[in-house]
């Protein structure tokens, strides 16, 4: 039983467009929601993260939208660039449960020039 | 990669043989984790450690064991490798539960024939 469900599995966006990736969770005890970016042959790297006490967090072209009542959160990439082509993972964790991460299944983003 | 190395980076082995993967950190972080990454499953936690000699099971621990005799080293052992354990294995570290962020190593690609 996957604790974090992610969609879509793959996404193709034109350069300059908006990329949107969605995640949903069931466990209301989760208190940290990061997004990781992974390039081929590399380990995942933290992109942006949010806690459930805020509804939105923005860092440059990347924004997390968080809907606590719906138990959903999403990543928006504005003005998508070919260099953003990578696999993106959402995750969730409980701070005082050894910070164990539960990951979504990943979204492979391809930004076409 | 935040002072994390994994060895070996690539390994091909045969079914039934023992395999040990090593994760080494230079950050003196307390928490260490082993994940496996498979298409369609994202990253799944195998085992984690919250201190020297303190370890516990994750989501997919069957067939794996771990040891942590020093803060900087976390070993993952496949006692008798099976083809279903063909995967990419990532080690991650976290300073404390308060900081939340996990830093990932470069990964080990393991093929079991």
């Amino acid at each position: 039983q996957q604790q974090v469900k992610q969609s879509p599995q793959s996404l193709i966006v034109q350069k300059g467009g908006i990329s949107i990736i969605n995640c949903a969770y069931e466990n209301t005890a989760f208190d940290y929601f990061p997004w990781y970016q992974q390039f081929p042959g590399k380990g995942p790297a933290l992109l942006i993260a949010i806690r459930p006490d805020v509804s939105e967090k923005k860092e440059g072209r990347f924004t997390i939208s968080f809907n606590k009542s719906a138990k959903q959160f999403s990543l928006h990439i504005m003005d998508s660039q070919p260099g953003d082509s990578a696999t993106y993972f959402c995750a969730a964790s409980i701070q005082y449960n050894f910070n164990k991460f539960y990951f979504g299944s990943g979204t492979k983003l391809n930004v076409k020039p | 990669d935040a002072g994390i190395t994994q060895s070996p980076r690539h390994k091909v082995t045969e079914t039934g043989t023992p395999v040990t993967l090593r994760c080494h950190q230079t950050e003196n972080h307390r928490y260490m984790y082993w994940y496996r990454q498979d298409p369609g499953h994202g990253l799944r936690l195998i085992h984690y450690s919250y201190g020297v000699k303190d370890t516990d099971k994750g989501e997919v621990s069957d067939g794996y064991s771990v040891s942590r005799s020093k803060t900087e080293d976390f070993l993952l052992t496949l006692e008798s490798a099976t083809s279903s354990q063909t995967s990419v294995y990532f080690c991650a570290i976290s300073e404390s539960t308060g900081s939340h962020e996990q830093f990932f190593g470069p990964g080990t690609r393991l093929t079991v024939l």
Side-chain angles (χ1 to χ4, degrees), chain A residues 45-110:
Chain A
L46 179 66
L47 185 63
I48 186 172
I50 197 167
R51 297 179 187 268
D53 52 345
V54 296
S55 60
E56 186 176 281
K57 183 174 182 180
K58 183 176 181 179
E59 290 184 0
R61 295 183 295 108
F62 302 91
T63 299
I64 299 179
S65 296
F66 187 83
N67 187 329
K68 189 173 182 178
S69 61
K71 293 185 287 186
Q72 295 176 346
F73 58 110
S74 60
L75 176 68
H76 296 239
I77 306 175
M78 312 300 288
D79 187 26
S80 299
Q81 299 297 312
D84 296 331
S85 296
T87 299
Y88 293 82
F89 294 95
C90 62
S93 72
I94 303 169
Q95 178 179 359
Y96 294 108
N97 188 21
F98 304 103
N99 200 25
K100 293 181 290 184
F101 279 15
Y102 296 90
F103 282 89
S105 54
T107 297
K108 188 171 185 179
L109 173 65
N110 183 8

Side-chain angles (χ1 to χ4, degrees), chain B residues 7-64:
Chain B
S7 59
R9 294 293 314 279
H10 301 270
K11 186 170 181 67
V12 180
T13 191
E14 294 190 350
T15 297
T17 61
V19 177
T20 295
L21 309 183
R22 180 184 183 231
C23 177
H24 179 79
Q25 60 146 328
T26 58
E27 306 295 325
N28 200 36
H29 283 4
R30 178 181 176 186
Y31 297 89
M32 298 186 75
Y33 310 83
W34 276 108
Y35 293 88
R36 59 177 289 173
Q37 183 176 23
D38 304 288
H41 292 277
L43 292 95
R44 291 178 292 174
L45 182 64
I46 305 171
H47 280 278
Y48 63 100
S49 171
Y50 46 96
V52 174
K53 298 191 189 305
D54 292 323
T55 65
D56 205 348
K57 298 178 180 180
E59 297 176 81
V60 289
S61 59
D62 287 349
Y64 301 94

Side-chain angles (χ1 to χ4, degrees), chain A residues 23-34:
Chain A
C23 284
Y25 64 97
E26 286 299 323
N27 190 345
T28 56
F30 287 140
D31 59 3
Y32 179 71
F33 300 88

Side-chain angles (χ1 to χ4, degrees), chain B residues 76-92:
Chain B
L76 177 70
T77 297
L78 291 65
E79 301 290 348
S80 178
T82 67
S83 58
S84 65
Q85 294 175 312
T86 292
S87 187
V88 181
Y89 291 86
F90 286 98
C91 173

